[in-house]
Amino acid sequence: MKYISTRGATAHKAFSEVLLMGLAPDGGLMLPEHYPHVSEQTLEAWRGLSYQELAFEVMSLFITDIPADDLRDIINRTYTEEVFGSREITPVRTLSDGIKIQALSNGPTLAFKDMAMQFLGNAFEYVLAKEGKTLNILGATSGDTGSAAEYALRGKKGIHVFMLSPEGKMSAFQRAQMYSLQDENIHNIAVLGMFDDCQDIVKAVQSDASFKEKYQIGTVNSINWGRIVAQVVYYFAGYFNVTTDNSQKVSFCVPSGNFGNVCAGHIARQMGLPIHRLIVATNENDVLDEFFKTGEYRPRSTADTYVTSSPSMDISKASNFERFIFDLMERDAVQIEALWAEVGIGKGFDLSLQLGKIRNQYGFVSGKSLHQDRLATIAEVYRADGELLDPHTADGVKVAREVREAGETIVCLETALAAKFEEAIREAVGEVAVARPSGLAGLEALPQRVQTVPNNAEVVKSIIRETLHK
């Protein structure tokens, strides 16, 4: 399997090259030259496999340059009951109203990002050791990517992590998870701005070819294909968990800001997984909801991006969205270049003529959830089922309930545990004990290491230079 860029000027790359690359040199995102098709017979053969076995079968279709035994070893070391809390890895539970919740948040940082990031950390270490290279990760986080990356990469040989986050915009728990790490290879940088500003800095540094090459800059954001391929697996696992045969279709509702999580579902559907609909749930920052309802993609400025109680989705420029549009536009790189040129000057684009194709061929629908919606959903689920949802998962449940068709099975992807958002939980249900793993007790009281900087890519470059020249 070889990989190409959505912008057309980078092609025929192996997985290991793409893993270390992050953003393509031409500014695009890497994708496989084609999506492997999974037949009904293969689906049936995969039913009943352990999560580790299923992950190997799915990932080996995309990762052909790592020997099978080595890939299996990476996967087996990644997806363990010790790390993810259950033998199933992503168990599914059912709410009293029939909505199903796939637990993706039982990893070390209590967020779904662990599902891909733990794999990425082990894959990075394997490829770097084999090729005798080092890598300096530059990432951006709105709350969960950063901690998941840092916990996956802390202490890894040959890797430094420089993680940007919007100053003061994450929950206290999220900040503490990242900033309390004392590992010498972890560097936290708080940017005076929003998440989109952090993301823009990452793209600006990635686009500086000479700097990127000199300092071996890679990324763990969802622009990295390694993240997406690991996430494809849990759609297959969720489907097998809630069906008894392949004649049944299942819909997935995915809380989404950056489009990486639901992009993996799009790829699983293209591979032949019987997904009926992919339901995109946004918060007040509803750029994606607007697109799937109208066909207009209008990214917003930092000033027009809301700070909400589901902060990991406070995003107005979905960096992974380009992969789906590339497929939608029949993989025409010239059109993608033109469309993103419009995005680059703040205009966005109008694909309303493609709405029928978006809904019928690709199965996308959407909805949004506001502050009072998520609080009401948290309270309703707590009252009916005795469990606490985090605000982002609550956004997903609200939208799933809103758009559910008669007889439709909907699996809502859990994005985090309630413990990460105690303030919102208490606003929804009052003073209630919010369970957190014992190892995370008192996290907010630990010493924190972080430096605050202006919204400026050159300042971030200087920090990287100074750190690596010590």
Side-chain angles (χ1 to χ4, degrees), residues 24-26 203-217 461:
D26 62 10
K203 287 190 173 182
V205 176
Q206 285 267 332
S207 297
D208 184 338
S210 60
F211 185 90
K212 181 178 179 180
E213 182 179 2
K214 181 175 181 180
Y215 293 100
Q216 296 91 45
I217 302 296
K461 286 182 184 177

Side-chain angles (χ1 to χ4, degrees), residues 373-425:
D373 296 325
R374 71 184 63 97
L375 294 187
T377 302
I378 291 169
E380 288 165 10
V381 170
Y382 184 62
R383 183 170 56 250
D385 298 278
E387 68 168 271
L388 293 170
L389 298 180
D390 89 281
H392 310 78
T393 307
D395 286 336
V397 170
K398 184 266 183 182
V399 171
R401 288 171 167 175
E402 186 175 72
V403 305
R404 179 165 45 171
E405 298 172 342
E408 183 179 24
T409 298
I410 299 181
V411 176
C412 184
L413 299 191
E414 180 183 73
T415 61
L417 295 191
K420 301 192 79 166
F421 305 96
E422 292 185 13
E423 185 176 337
I425 299 301

Side-chain angles (χ1 to χ4, degrees), residues 277-281 289 292 358-359 363-367 399 403:
R277 298 195 296 170
L278 290 164
I279 304 164
V280 175
D289 180 45
F292 286 109
I358 290 167
R359 294 167 182 166
F364 277 99
V365 293
S366 67
V399 171
V403 305

Side-chain angles (χ1 to χ4, degrees), residues 287 290 297-301 316-318 340 343 346-349:
V287 170
E290 183 177 77
Y297 180 59
R298 308 290 178 196
R300 298 170 192 158
S301 67
S316 291
K317 298 176 185 175
W340 257 262
V343 172
K347 288 188 175 181
F349 50 77

Side-chain angles (χ1 to χ4, degrees), residues 183-362:
D183 304 76
E184 292 185 2
N185 71 325
I186 302 298
H187 314 278
N188 283 298
I189 304 170
V191 176
L192 296 171
M194 297 294 290
F195 168 76
D196 291 325
D197 297 314
C198 301
Q199 188 165 259
D200 286 344
I201 290 173
V202 171
K203 287 190 173 182
V205 176
Q206 285 267 332
S207 297
D208 184 338
S210 60
F211 185 90
K212 181 178 179 180
E213 182 179 2
K214 181 175 181 180
Y215 293 100
Q216 296 91 45
I217 302 296
T219 183
V220 290
N221 280 66
S222 53
I223 59 177
N224 189 311
W225 170 253
R227 279 272 304 275
I228 304 299
V229 72
Q231 290 175 297
V232 170
V233 177
Y234 53 67
Y235 283 88
F236 283 86
Y239 175 81
F240 291 138
N241 190 300
V242 302
T243 61
T244 56
D245 63 71
N246 301 329
S247 67
Q248 300 167 276
K249 285 198 169 186
V250 171
S251 296
F252 287 87
C253 184
V254 189
S256 191
N258 225 4
F259 204 77
N261 200 2
V262 75
C263 184
H266 159 68
I267 292 166
R269 192 175 189 272
Q270 295 305 108
M271 292 171 69
L273 188 65
I275 295 175
H276 175 43
R277 298 195 296 170
L278 290 164
I279 304 164
V280 175
T282 74
N283 65 8
E284 290 86 340
N285 297 296
D286 58 353
V287 170
L288 291 175
D289 180 45
E290 183 177 77
F291 173 80
F292 286 109
K293 281 188 167 70
T294 69
E296 294 187 18
Y297 180 59
R298 308 290 178 196
R300 298 170 192 158
S301 67
T302 295
D304 293 323
T305 300
Y306 298 102
V307 177
T308 78
S309 51
S310 51
S312 297
M313 300 196 296
D314 291 349
I315 298 168
S316 291
K317 298 176 185 175
S319 67
N320 227 285
F321 192 52
E322 187 172 329
R323 284 188 168 110
F324 170 65
I325 300 300
F326 184 60
D327 287 342
L328 177 66
M329 305 309 290
E330 307 294 341
R331 298 195 154 207
D332 185 335
V334 174
Q335 286 200 64
I336 297 302
E337 189 81 50
L339 291 175
W340 257 262
E342 294 296 300
V343 172
I345 60 174
K347 288 188 175 181
F349 50 77
D350 184 345
L351 296 179
S352 54
L353 295 178
Q354 302 287 336
L355 275 176
K357 186 176 181 182
I358 290 167
R359 294 167 182 166
N360 300 324
Q361 180 175 332
Y362 292 107

Side-chain angles (χ1 to χ4, degrees), residues 179-184 186-188 447-451:
Y179 302 164
S180 65
L181 292 181
Q182 303 297 319
D183 304 76
E184 292 185 2
I186 302 298
H187 314 278
N188 283 298
Q448 297 186 5
R449 291 171 57 236
V450 60
Q451 53 186 318

